[in-house]
Amino acid sequence: MRDADFFRRWMAAAAAAVEREADRLTELDSPIGDADHGSNLLRGFTAVVAAQEAEPAVAPGAVLQLAGRTLISTVGGASGPLYGTLLRRTGKALGESAEVSDAELRAALSEGVGAVAQLGGAAPGDKTMLDALVPGVAALATSYRAAGAAAENGALATVPMLARKGRASYLGERSIGHQDPGATSSALLLEALADVAEAEGAR
Ligand code: ADP
Ligand code: MG
């Protein structure tokens, strides 16, 4: 079972990964965007960690809902509301239990990903974060590490895609040949989850 601390560690690990990879995320957002994805997420996840410290939630669902609200209020770009919705909906689906099972987390994340698709109107193949989130969350049935790897492969698979949603879609054919920044950060998020799950397993 996973408690609120586990989810706080996940958010902290995601923030550390975003900090480590911020320059790369912004570089990916240069040819097919406006070069702000790394700085957007760095601002957002730094605020998420600060909010968790200021207002430590006691339930997994509340931790993720606070993280989602914080991302929505601090990230101006498209990715803020989308990641915010992912975490809020996932947190809502987890309910108020003090501990949740891995199966409950998997089901909740599926709902969260569904909410992202609904909000953004995108589907896999449109060269967005969903190209990492959808295969990543599907692979949770195997393991947390498999989910991280599937999301990473999904991000790499966005290179030859034509962008159909978001800023990159304005480029049409010129969006082909570049890796999607949001799919790349989604892989970081699921890899961070795998890291904390493996660290907890070892305890
Ligand atoms: P902005 O595009 O407003 O500058 P960011 O640079 O922070 O915002 O985020 C861009 C990322 O957001 C893209 O790489 C893509 O993965 C994701 N994205 C944009 N629009 C959508 C959408 N409609 N559905 C899903 N993901 C989207
Ligand atoms: Mg951008």
Side-chain angles (χ1 to χ4, degrees):
M1 296 296 276
R2 313 288 183 181
D3 63 8
D5 259 332
F6 173 85
F7 287 86
R8 270 191 286 276
R9 285 198 297 277
W10 176 23
M11 292 299 103
V18 162
E19 189 170 0
R20 194 181 67 230
E21 301 288 332
D23 289 349
R24 182 167 153 256
L25 294 174
T26 287
E27 268 167 41
L28 290 173
D29 196 32
S30 301
I32 58 167
D34 55 352
D36 65 356
H37 190 57
S39 52
N40 279 344
L41 290 191
L42 184 56
R43 183 168 62 254
F45 276 93
T46 301
V48 165
V49 170
Q52 305 288 0
E53 281 166 10
E55 192 186 319
V58 293
V63 170
L64 293 189
Q65 289 185 67
L66 173 61
R69 284 200 307 276
T70 305
L71 289 178
I72 290 168
S73 63
T74 55
V75 178
S79 61
L82 291 163
Y83 277 127
T85 295
L86 173 70
L87 297 179
R88 274 178 68 179
R89 180 64 68 91
T90 302
K92 201 171 163 208
L94 289 176
E96 290 173 11
S97 325
E99 293 193 323
V100 299
S101 69
D102 289 336
E104 286 169 324
L105 175 53
R106 196 182 337 138
L109 274 168
S110 294
E111 273 194 42
V113 171
V116 171
Q118 196 174 18
L119 176 67
D126 288 347
K127 198 181 182 99
T128 71
M129 57 176 68
L130 288 171
D131 289 302
L133 291 173
V134 169
V137 169
L140 278 174
T142 305
S143 70
Y144 285 103
R145 191 53 73 194
E152 180 65 38
N153 285 333
L156 293 172
T158 62
V159 173
M161 290 177 186
L162 174 83
R164 291 200 188 82
K165 292 288 166 187
R167 222 174 258 285
S169 68
Y170 308 158
L171 293 176
E173 302 269 318
R174 280 180 297 137
S175 65
I176 294 173
H178 302 281
Q179 186 169 325
D180 181 63
T184 308
S185 56
S186 287
L188 293 179
L189 191 66
L190 291 181
E191 288 283 10
L193 177 61
D195 290 344
V196 297
E198 282 177 5
E200 174 153 294
R203 242 200 307 262

